[in-house]
Amino acid sequence: MRLLVTGAAGQLGHDVAAAARAAGDEVVGLAHAQLDVTDRDAVLGAITTWRPDAVAHCAAWTAVDACEGDPGRAFTANALAVRHVVEACDRVGAHLVHLSTDYVFDGEQRRPYREWDEPAPRSVYGASKLAGEREALALGPRAAIVRTSWVCGEHGGNVVRTVLRSARDKVDQHGALAFVDDQRGHPTFTADLGPLVRRLALDRRSGIIHATNQGEVTWYGFVQQVLAAAGYPTSMVRPISTAELDPPRPAPRPANSVLDNAVLAASGIPLLREFRQPLGELVAVLGHARPSQNGISGRP
Ligand SMILES: NC(=O)c1ccc[n+]([C@@H]2O[C@H](COP(=O)([O-])OP(=O)(O)OC[C@H]3O[C@@H](n4cnc5c(N)ncnc54)[C@H](OP(=O)(O)O)[C@@H]3O)[C@@H](O)[C@H]2O)c1
């Protein structure tokens, strides 16, 4: 397969490109500096010149709180850019795998969200990503929309990296970190999601697909797991409610971000692993090992 990856320096873009290369695909990975997806001429030029079999559109403006203050930029980067990618894919017959988010839901539902549940975004970021999904759907059966959640990878900023950095400085300080215990979801690791995105491109899958690692947890619970995986005491984190965040974050987050991977399960595609396995691997890659020999329990 010839695969073109946008946003290739981002967390997921990097690992989609790496997975495709490892599988023997011909890959062109274009970082933001090489391809600004809001530039229609540049997008048409890149895709019609290289004529890929598939495009993994991983580029997005993911700064959720900043999106709240600049809806124009958010919709240009996360929705209009998808129109350009769709137009270019249409010209060369390329399949599109477009990335989207749990933030398209309001999080009020009591059960996990399935692909057929009605989106109702509460943030500008979520609304811009939903608009991007609708742009992608214009490609009909030649597009898959992959909604994922709580993305963590080796290449980029994420909560695992942030927690490990803080923990190094604050080791032994009980309750030094505070994370919300009233927002729940599925942490997802690009080392696992990257190969799945590649497979969905190869199989030319269509429609909306929820794809996350398995295991439901709150942010507080997830940070406990991060600390445990790195051998820090889990008492370093204390639970707070969203209402206690000071200052409050500009963009509201869904309380329930849990995505039921119903389509994958019904399609015979193996679900991604329980999140603690790739978490342990990422913690090791980031230079932390689980010290089972030093007396720290390693479990919350
Ligand atoms: N991160 C999450 O927790 C999360 C959760 C659910 C869904 N998603 C979705 O998953 C996908 C991948 O996210 P990620 O975690 O890999 O995000 P990421 O690490 O922020 O990567 C996104 C990449 O897109 C690039 N980009 C931004 N604007 C661009 C533009 N106009 N043209 C070209 N590239 C541009 C960014 O480059 P610069 O940094 O240089 O601007 C960055 O390298 C996105 O669609 C995101 O919406 C992410």
Side-chain angles (χ1 to χ4, degrees), residues 7 9-13 32 35-38 57-62 77 99-102 125 129 148-151 155:
Q11 296 193 93
L12 182 60
H32 194 171
L35 177 65
D36 178 349
V37 292
T38 66
H57 181 46
C58 299
W61 192 32
T62 59
L99 270 297
S100 192
T101 172
D102 51 312
Y125 170 74
K129 293 293 293 183
T148 190
S149 61
W150 297 21
V151 173
H155 304 275

Side-chain angles (χ1 to χ4, degrees), residues 213-224:
N213 280 108
Q214 299 304 297
E216 184 180 324
V217 72
T218 67
W219 282 111
Y220 164 68
F222 182 41
V223 171
Q224 283 189 311

